[in-house]
Amino acid sequence: MIEIARLQPDIPPNAAAVMRMAACFGLTVRIIEPAGFTWSDSSLKRAGMDYLDHALVIRDPSWAAFREATRGRRLILASTKAATS
């Protein structure tokens, strides 16, 4: 099963767009807290449209909790802020 994880997302419409896409493809989204917005943010709902109710979202309270929950699973990490490629 493929899951998409967002580490400490700051922009509600970006997080909602990922959730909307995941709902369409039947994927799980993991939000690794803390997020830079409140979960009830209106821009989150606006960008997610009617798909947010269909998205399976797991909210991990920290990076450590995420790593514990995904122990033994293959992770593919991508970042625009990494020091090395």
Side-chain angles (χ1 to χ4, degrees):
M1 171 63 78
I2 295 173
E3 295 182 343
I4 299 171
R6 295 290 319 263
L7 176 63
Q8 302 173 349
D10 286 332
I11 302 170
N14 290 355
V18 169
M19 289 185 265
R20 185 177 67 227
M21 180 200 63
C24 291
F25 287 108
L27 304 175
T28 300
V29 175
R30 298 186 82 101
I31 301 293
I32 305 167
E33 302 281 354
F37 53 88
T38 59
W39 197 248
S40 61
D41 193 308
S42 62
S43 59
L44 179 71
K45 293 176 185 169
R46 184 171 45 253
M49 299 188 287
D50 294 333
Y51 294 91
L52 292 186
D53 292 336
H54 302 288
L56 176 57
V57 178
I58 299 171
R59 294 170 66 190
D60 292 301
S62 66
W63 174 255
F66 168 76
R67 291 296 291 140
E68 180 64 29
T70 58
R71 180 181 296 182
R73 294 172 59 189
R74 181 177 180 211
L75 295 178
I76 299 172
L77 307 173
S79 173
T80 60
K81 298 182 177 34
T84 60
S85 298

